[in-house]
Amino acid sequence: MLEDLRIKDFALIEKCEIEFKNGFTVLSGETGAGKSLLIGALTFLLGGKGGVEQIRTGTEMAQVSGTFYIKGLSSPVKGDIEEAKNASEWLYLHGITSEDDRILLRRAVRSNGKSAAWIGDTVVTRSDLASFSAFLVDIHGQHEHQSLMRVSEHRRFLDSFADLNDTVADFTQLYSTLVEKRKQLQDLMSDDKTRSQKIEVLTFAVKEITEAKLKKGEDIELDEEETKLSSFEKLFSDIESINNVLSGAPSENSGVVGELKKLRSVSSHSAAFDKELQNLDTRLESAFYELNDIAEEYSSYADKLVFDPERLAFVQERQTLIYNLKKKYASSVDASLDEVIQFAVDAQNRLEELSNGQVNKDSIQKEIAELEKAVYAKAKEISAVRKQAALKMSEQVAAILRTLGMKDSRFAVNVTEKNGTELEQKCGPYGMDDVEFLIAANPGNPLQSLARIASGGELSRVMLALKTVLAGADNVETLVFDEIDTGIGGEVAVSVGQHLKNLAKNHQIFCITHLASIAVYADNQMKISKSVNAGTTSTSVALIEGDARVEEIARMLSGDAASQESLEHAKAMLSKFAD
């Protein structure tokens, strides 16, 4: 559950620190007070879009943080896992630890457009934040009604109800394997002329690269050797100059080493008279031996330094060959020589596939036949479970809709087999079924597509009914409903309040509403207010209890929080529905 939320300089919110409780919490306030800003800040924290427009005017950075308590979050993850199925496994896979079953999320956006996010003390990407927070909070706003308008989303709702998500994910993987094998077969079934052309091109490439007898790292070694050979005159001149200084030119008596040798004799002689000079004599002796060794090394190098024009020509020819091979078979002429070598390996493997085309075709065709049987059998199993679940889901949603002011409506989850006679046409990545929600809102009307006939208010109630029937299988603890009361009132609103309170038995519920008949069911109520100080508009959030809550309910009832009649009515409603 969400324990607290801290907001600073986000939109109209200057600073806000809120502590939340479990159960059903209502967010209310006058029109334009900024009720949706709180949901906007939460959406931003959970990985929603963030931009400079969300920064409070006159400030440099918007910041939002929140603490979540999840029972068992800190418990060790058991077994090997590849994909996270809950918050604990997600943190384990990403190497993030939590304490006392709590985790802190933070996010900020600066005026220069740069943003940052953290899970605990770990910096994460926005996509990582969204991926993790999907296990924590489900925000349902008016825009989400659009998911009911997309028939492709109806299957997802049914699969969640039937607890088929993991099974369908496994099926999708199996189906993807079948698709890949079919693609391989299609490649092999290309006409002989095309295959011959491919064989000819690949054979030439393998022959050309193989004959070059390339060695790993050879291009780097050749570059170094070519630099040395082509710079022979300069190199020889430099070594000669060094040797002349160290050992003396042939026409001279002595170089630096010879002079040092003389100095050593004088130094040793003087040190015999004064012990203070012994340390200097020792250092001079060390310098002499080190420089003498260096002189011998340079002299030896000079003896081996021979200009070899034939070797230079060979190296340059080799470099040209490698350059041309890289140009043809690597990503660029600056790429590693390994790419050319690997190209030959891959080309040889492809040649073997093409040369043994018929053998491979027979093998792949056998694999495809086996996969088709497995895919079809699995699709039939999934379809059977869906059809049984569709009946239960239809009954449960219809029963809830009747209590939500749609007493004469009928609702059905329609599961039909995909069109086509071939297996490839009948099965898709999610099975062999087309799933669609149908509704008859008025008596005597036939069932028709929900996406075509339902009004906005009806969609709100259908979504609430779906959330209710899915609550048992939903691992997300915190549910947020942003103005789910659109288009409803009276007894329907009372029923919506009852359902939200029932959902709160297993979930932490937040709901933005302007209806008192929903608000009175809440365990907690928070009021969003807008004020103007010194020409600056700001929004604040506060928990209201006692008389303050009575006044807010009275305002929601009649627009007048001060009239005695409204206050009495508010007290009566709270007394009747709050517990």
Side-chain angles (χ1 to χ4, degrees), residues 272-329:
F273 299 110
D274 189 346
K275 290 184 177 180
E276 287 186 20
L277 297 175
Q278 287 181 354
N279 184 50
L280 291 174
D281 179 57
T282 301
R283 291 169 61 189
L284 188 61
E285 181 180 20
S286 297
F288 166 75
Y289 284 122
E290 177 66 16
L291 202 58
N292 186 63
D293 186 60
I294 292 172
E296 290 178 356
E297 290 283 346
Y298 270 110
S299 177
S300 176
Y301 181 87
D303 291 340
K304 294 184 291 184
L305 194 59
V306 178
F307 179 58
D308 189 346
E310 292 183 0
R311 178 61 186 177
L312 177 60
F314 171 80
V315 168
Q316 290 175 336
E317 288 176 7
R318 191 74 177 162
Q319 286 180 307
T320 300
L321 172 64
I322 290 175
Y323 175 88
N324 291 332
L325 290 176
K326 283 185 178 182
K327 193 174 182 180
K328 293 171 68 174
Y329 304 116

Side-chain angles (χ1 to χ4, degrees), residues 16-67:
C16 182
E17 296 184 3
I18 320 166
E19 291 187 359
F20 298 107
K21 300 177 181 179
N22 213 338
F24 178 19
T25 299
V26 152
L27 306 171
S28 63
E30 294 184 1
T31 301
K35 294 187 291 295
S36 291
L37 284 181
L38 195 62
I39 305 302
L42 181 59
T43 301
F44 171 74
L45 174 63
L46 300 175
K49 291 183 179 179
V52 295
E53 69 278 359
Q54 293 170 318
I55 302 174
R56 179 175 167 82
T57 302
T59 63
E60 293 296 316
M61 179 171 62
Q63 303 175 71
V64 182
S65 66
T67 304

Side-chain angles (χ1 to χ4, degrees), residues 273-570:
F273 299 110
D274 189 346
K275 290 184 177 180
E276 287 186 20
L277 297 175
Q278 287 181 354
N279 184 50
L280 291 174
D281 179 57
T282 301
R283 291 169 61 189
L284 188 61
E285 181 180 20
S286 297
F288 166 75
Y289 284 122
E290 177 66 16
L291 202 58
N292 186 63
D293 186 60
I294 292 172
E296 290 178 356
E297 290 283 346
Y298 270 110
S299 177
S300 176
Y301 181 87
D303 291 340
K304 294 184 291 184
L305 194 59
V306 178
F307 179 58
D308 189 346
E310 292 183 0
R311 178 61 186 177
L312 177 60
F314 171 80
V315 168
Q316 290 175 336
E317 288 176 7
R318 191 74 177 162
Q319 286 180 307
T320 300
L321 172 64
I322 290 175
Y323 175 88
N324 291 332
L325 290 176
K326 283 185 178 182
K327 193 174 182 180
K328 293 171 68 174
Y329 304 116
S331 57
S332 73
V333 294
D334 296 321
S336 168
L337 189 57
D338 290 351
E339 288 191 22
V340 177
I341 297 172
Q342 187 60 45
F343 185 94
V345 174
D346 294 340
Q348 184 61 47
N349 292 336
R350 184 66 177 138
L351 268 176
E352 291 175 4
E353 290 178 5
L354 292 171
S355 300
N356 300 305
Q358 190 58 49
V359 175
N360 288 334
K361 277 193 292 184
D362 292 344
S363 175
I364 291 176
Q365 283 175 331
K366 184 177 180 180
E367 286 185 64
I368 289 174
E370 292 174 353
L371 281 168
E372 285 176 343
K373 290 179 182 178
V375 165
Y376 189 72
K378 197 66 178 177
K380 291 287 284 185
E381 290 178 15
I382 292 172
S383 182
V385 175
R386 279 179 178 152
K387 288 173 181 176
Q388 289 181 349
L391 294 175
K392 294 180 182 179
M393 188 176 184
S394 299
E395 293 173 359
Q396 292 181 25
V397 172
I400 295 171
L401 289 176
R402 284 193 287 273
T403 68
L404 293 175
M406 300 175 68
K407 60 182 180 179
D408 295 320
S409 67
R410 289 180 294 142
F411 181 87
V413 181
N414 192 38
V415 180
T416 57
E417 193 171 298
K418 290 181 180 294
N419 294 325
T421 56
E422 297 295 329
L423 177 64
E424 187 173 359
Q425 293 173 307
K426 279 195 172 185
C427 280
Y430 306 110
M432 63 190 305
D433 304 310
D434 286 325
V435 179
E436 184 175 10
F437 295 161
L438 306 178
I439 193 169
N442 299 305
N445 289 346
L447 288 166
Q448 298 183 56
S449 173
L450 172 70
R452 289 193 291 112
I453 68 166
S455 66
E458 289 168 339
L459 286 175
S460 292
R461 282 173 275 178
V462 171
M463 180 60 79
L464 179 56
L466 287 170
K467 289 289 183 181
T468 301
V469 300
L470 291 172
D474 195 349
N475 292 323
V476 177
E477 186 173 353
T478 301
L479 304 179
V480 180
F481 295 92
D482 186 359
E483 302 209 20
I484 198 170
D485 53 16
T486 299
I488 64 174
E491 293 181 1
V492 176
V494 172
S495 186
V496 168
Q498 290 174 337
H499 276 285
L500 289 173
K501 192 170 186 69
N502 286 334
L503 273 178
K505 292 177 182 178
N506 299 309
H507 297 269
Q508 182 187 34
I509 303 295
F510 292 96
C511 177
I512 289 180
T513 185
H514 64 280
L515 296 179
S517 47
I518 290 178
V520 292
Y521 281 97
D523 301 305
N524 319 290
Q525 185 165 353
M526 291 187 163
K527 183 178 179 181
I528 290 88
S529 305
K530 184 168 68 175
S531 60
V532 179
N533 296 310
T536 301
T537 303
S538 62
T539 293
S540 61
V541 184
L543 177 69
I544 53 174
E545 299 176 301
D547 292 342
R549 187 177 184 194
V550 172
E551 291 175 3
E552 176 63 5
I553 295 295
R555 183 199 63 77
M556 296 173 75
L557 282 167
S558 63
D560 185 357
S563 75
Q564 192 61 35
E565 184 178 351
S566 296
L567 290 171
E568 291 298 328
H569 190 185

Side-chain angles (χ1 to χ4, degrees), residues 122-175:
T122 303
V123 177
V124 296
T125 63
R126 176 190 159 203
S127 61
D128 281 341
L129 187 63
S131 173
F132 174 65
S133 63
F135 293 112
L136 310 180
V137 182
D138 181 6
I139 297 181
H140 171 66
Q142 285 298 306
H143 66 281
E144 285 188 88
H145 291 163
Q146 298 304 314
S147 63
L148 289 177
M149 303 295 284
R150 296 192 295 272
V151 175
S152 60
E153 292 292 298
H154 295 180
R155 176 202 59 79
R156 184 173 61 83
F157 282 107
L158 176 60
D159 286 349
S160 292
F161 178 79
D163 196 22
L164 277 173
N165 289 333
D166 290 344
T167 303
V168 173
D170 292 340
F171 174 86
T172 301
Q173 185 62 46
L174 184 66
Y175 182 83

Side-chain angles (χ1 to χ4, degrees), residues 73-289:
L73 185 66
S74 303
S75 301
V77 174
K78 298 180 180 179
D80 294 330
I81 56 173
E82 295 182 0
E83 183 177 355
K85 296 179 182 177
N86 55 51
S88 296
E89 291 183 356
W90 195 98
L91 293 178
Y92 172 77
L93 287 176
H94 291 78
I96 302 174
T97 58
S98 61
E99 293 184 7
D100 301 324
D101 291 342
R102 286 174 172 81
I103 193 73
L104 175 68
L105 306 187
R106 292 179 291 153
R107 193 172 178 207
V109 60
R110 297 181 180 276
S111 57
N112 59 9
K114 293 184 178 180
S115 64
W118 296 263
I119 298 177
D121 294 326
T122 303
V123 177
V124 296
T125 63
R126 176 190 159 203
S127 61
D128 281 341
L129 187 63
S131 173
F132 174 65
S133 63
F135 293 112
L136 310 180
V137 182
D138 181 6
I139 297 181
H140 171 66
Q142 285 298 306
H143 66 281
E144 285 188 88
H145 291 163
Q146 298 304 314
S147 63
L148 289 177
M149 303 295 284
R150 296 192 295 272
V151 175
S152 60
E153 292 292 298
H154 295 180
R155 176 202 59 79
R156 184 173 61 83
F157 282 107
L158 176 60
D159 286 349
S160 292
F161 178 79
D163 196 22
L164 277 173
N165 289 333
D166 290 344
T167 303
V168 173
D170 292 340
F171 174 86
T172 301
Q173 185 62 46
L174 184 66
Y175 182 83
S176 298
T177 303
L178 174 60
V179 171
E180 180 60 29
K181 289 297 179 182
R182 283 175 172 159
K183 184 178 181 300
Q184 290 180 16
L185 181 62
Q186 186 177 8
D187 289 343
L188 289 173
M189 295 292 288
S190 60
D191 60 85
D192 291 339
K193 181 179 179 181
T194 301
R195 188 160 63 250
S196 296
Q197 290 174 343
K198 289 181 180 179
I199 290 174
E200 183 178 349
V201 171
L202 292 171
T203 300
F204 178 81
V206 171
K207 181 175 182 293
E208 186 177 27
I209 297 172
T210 302
E211 289 180 348
K213 297 181 179 179
L214 302 174
K215 295 186 299 181
K216 187 175 182 179
E218 182 183 1
D219 51 340
I220 298 174
E221 294 176 1
L222 288 171
D223 288 344
E224 293 174 353
E225 187 176 2
E226 194 274 338
T227 299
K228 176 181 175 181
L229 290 170
S230 61
S231 306
F232 175 81
E233 291 185 3
K234 176 61 178 172
L235 182 61
F236 182 84
S237 176
D238 288 344
I239 298 301
E240 186 177 38
S241 297
I242 291 171
N243 279 329
N244 287 341
V245 172
L246 290 173
S247 302
S251 59
E252 299 175 356
N253 294 326
S254 180
V256 172
V257 175
E259 293 299 325
L260 274 177
K261 188 175 182 180
K262 295 176 183 177
L263 280 175
R264 271 207 63 237
S265 176
V266 176
S267 174
S268 176
H269 187 262
S270 60
F273 299 110
D274 189 346
K275 290 184 177 180
E276 287 186 20
L277 297 175
Q278 287 181 354
N279 184 50
L280 291 174
D281 179 57
T282 301
R283 291 169 61 189
L284 188 61
E285 181 180 20
S286 297
F288 166 75
Y289 284 122

